[in-house]
Amino acid sequence: MESILTVNNLKTTFYTSSGTVQAVRGISFEVGKGEIVGIVGESGSGKSVTSMSVLRLLPSTARIDPESTIVFEGTDLTALSMNQLRAIRGQKIAMVFQDPMSSLNPLIRVGKQVEEMLKIHHKELSKQLLREKVLELFRQVRIPEPEKRYNEFPHQFSGGMRQRVMIAMALANKPDLLIADEPTTALDVTIQDQILKQLRTLQRESGASIIFITHDLGVVAELCQRVLVMYGGLIMEEAPIDELFEHPLHPYTLGLLASVPSLHQDKQGRLTSIPGSPPDMTKPPEGCPFAPRCPYARQICAREQPPYVSFGEHRRSMCWLLQPDAPAENNPFRKEAAK
Amino acid sequence: MSKPILEVEHLTQHFKINRKEVVHAVDDVSFTIARGQTLGLVGESGCGKSSCARSIIRIYDPTGGKILLDGEDITHMSQKELQPRRKKMQMIFQDPYASLNARMTVRDIIAEPLLAHHIVKSKEEANDYVYPILERVGLTREHAGRYAHEFSGGQRQRVGIARALVLQPELVICDEPISALDVSIQAQVVNLLRDYQEEKGLAYLFIAHDLSMVRYVSDMVGVMYLGQLVELCGAEEIYSHPLHPYTQGLLASIPVANPKLAREKQTSGIEGDLPSPVNPPSGCRFRTRCPYAKAVCAEVAPCMHEVAPGHSLACHLYD
């Protein structure tokens, strides 16, 4: 598959008064044309910083390592000036954020806010045409009574409707890549279900690529074709969607899958949980970031970061248990390690 | 059978927003919780589940109905009369960031209810209670001297749980205790609550919007929609045989953490948005989004009635 975005060795660090936070610590991945890639992880895993780094929507305390490259349609975004980047934001790459409550200006009519997005990149459009385009977008994301809604303010919209407005805004310039950062986390399941359906349809119609960031494995299963599992600023595992759920190849993925209660299985006595809590990224662990919580951890895990073991295209995992010299007992991946 | 720890009868909670308009947050909700049992209350945001909890614990003054705690009517008790009875009923809040005082150490936070109820006379004496409960919720003695900001979300929630449990209550109202936590931490907290229940035999009112978690903690599950209880039955029953169209839609909306099942999923979720609780629809409140709505649904409000032993429902489809 032709790739639209290639991220190479991305490192993003925050320099704050209370120390440096190494939020993203050297990750590489690509997104194919028309592909939906999910990034899963807990809070603090670096998944949002990854997406913000792509469009450089970072606070002034953040630095992207000069060696990192983010190549989008042949151009390295890290080499662009802010002005050049502005031409890409919202035009070729658009973003939808988690909180639809705070992403809209409460004092400006909703229709006008969507219009602005079009105006920035298409100065030639007439007032009449702009309005028509916005109404068309509203219809596309299934906002009922678009003419009436056009003149309303954000507080008159429910959470789900606001998120539809955000999606309409993101789609306004027909982007090639849409980055959605937990777009349904703040919404009820019934509304989440509606929005996910919508995203699937819109993606099919437009052929755009999507990076979908979430902590919810259920959402990933419903929407994405390929998944990156992040933990402690690193990609722990990458896999096509079915493989991740059928043959997870990292203890963290195993733990994550086990702690999701399923409605389709018999009720177990207890939920499996992952003991401990995520690492403090001001002092990231030297070895594998998951080692302190891993039930299979050995001495080497705390000492040294494991290398990736690749199992074909877009299938890799970072775990000492996958090395050929890993012990066979108490090793859930001994079959894979032997190969 | 001994009397239930909590009986809620026709509870109604309205809020005036101006001279004319009233928010119907809770309308005619009835349920009971037996000792040592858990009732899960689920529904979309704005369905009144939190208001219901807050009325029960008398943060609000109920507009109507009755609340019986351990057989005693507390609906209209003054705060002074209520004070000694609060020992029996404690609450765990949703947001572990907002519900702990940032200027108090963990020891002070947990000791406060002990001092308020004159169980101990000094903070020194409180340590005898604080240390064991800290260890019980998976923290250590060393944590007692620290402040809330030094903890992660999951640890803060443990402090909130310790504060609620230190009085050895008979009923704990958990208002979305896990919604703000990461998946791996959610399971830790749910297991903690369940283990403690097995040990001490206390009852929970467990409020959540995550139906799959609710299944794990609850004996009974109540589904609320726009201020009303629409279905109430055993926890397994509601997942295997949901009867109310709203419950069915709600269950169908939950994303399935299994890509193969997700692709095969036939059932569809619920269309549209929650109507305003200021002007709830006439008749059945769910009729505006219900795929099976009939003429009668707009005219007559369905009443909760038992359709099978231990399974109550408010829907005209089953009249």
Side-chain angles (χ1 to χ4, degrees), chain B residues 92-280:
Chain B
I92 300 169
F93 296 90
Q94 171 171 8
D95 187 348
Y97 292 85
S99 57
L100 300 178
N101 189 330
R103 303 181 63 168
M104 282 164 82
T105 61
V106 165
R107 177 185 291 110
D108 293 345
I109 289 170
I110 300 175
E112 200 174 34
L114 293 165
L115 290 163
H117 286 281
H118 311 292
I119 292 170
V120 297
K121 291 193 179 59
S122 67
K123 282 186 187 173
E124 288 67 43
E125 230 180 291
N127 283 345
D128 295 343
Y129 291 85
V130 173
Y131 291 148
I133 198 76
L134 268 181
E135 277 159 22
R136 186 65 198 79
V137 299
L139 298 168
T140 62
R141 272 162 194 252
E142 285 73 51
H143 288 124
R146 299 206 202 153
Y147 291 90
H149 72 87
E150 297 174 67
F151 293 98
S152 67
Q155 287 174 318
R156 278 178 221 223
Q157 201 54 293
R158 285 169 195 270
V159 174
I161 292 172
R163 173 177 60 186
L165 298 184
V166 75
L167 290 172
Q168 307 223 328
E170 289 168 60
L171 172 69
V172 175
I173 295 177
C174 314
D175 188 4
E176 306 240 13
I178 51 168
S179 311
L181 306 175
D182 275 318
V183 195
S184 72
I185 311 293
Q186 284 187 353
Q188 290 177 7
V189 171
V190 164
N191 283 337
L192 169 67
L193 288 172
R194 280 188 52 169
D195 291 347
Y196 198 83
Q197 181 172 45
E198 265 170 40
E199 215 177 285
K200 305 275 181 188
L202 76 170
Y204 293 125
L205 173 61
F206 193 93
I207 294 168
H209 61 263
D210 183 345
L211 279 119
S212 38
M213 265 308 170
V214 167
R215 180 184 175 204
Y216 274 82
V217 288
S218 308
D219 300 296
M220 300 282 287
V221 174
V223 181
M224 283 188 75
Y225 185 78
L226 217 60
Q228 292 176 325
L229 207 55
V230 296
E231 189 162 7
L232 179 70
C233 69
E236 278 311 292
E237 178 82 1
I238 207 142
Y239 294 98
S240 51
H241 300 105
L243 292 178
H244 199 283
Y246 178 62
T247 314
Q248 291 171 353
L250 203 57
L251 284 166
S253 309
I254 301 173
V256 190
N258 179 328
K260 288 221 169 104
L261 286 178
R263 279 191 293 266
E264 285 163 9
K265 195 159 91 171
Q266 295 292 320
T267 46
S268 60
I270 301 169
E271 293 290 314
D273 271 333
L274 201 68
S276 157
V278 179
N279 292 310

Side-chain angles (χ1 to χ4, degrees), chain B residues 9-70:
Chain B
E9 290 168 14
H10 308 289
L11 180 67
T12 302
Q13 183 72 59
H14 290 175
F15 298 105
K16 275 189 191 149
I17 38 176
N18 54 40
R19 241 182 255 160
K20 279 185 210 147
E21 290 175 309
V22 170
V23 178
H24 300 251
V26 181
D27 253 335
D28 197 11
V29 167
S30 305
F31 57 79
T32 57
I33 304 178
R35 281 169 202 284
Q37 298 264 302
T38 302
L39 172 75
L41 215 48
V42 296
E44 291 171 272
S45 45
C47 74
K49 52 193 194 303
S50 287
S51 299
C52 196
R54 285 161 177 260
S55 307
I56 291 170
I57 207 153
R58 290 287 318 278
I59 292 175
Y60 305 143
D61 282 323
T63 315
K66 242 186 190 175
I67 302 159
L68 303 177
L69 177 68
D70 207 1

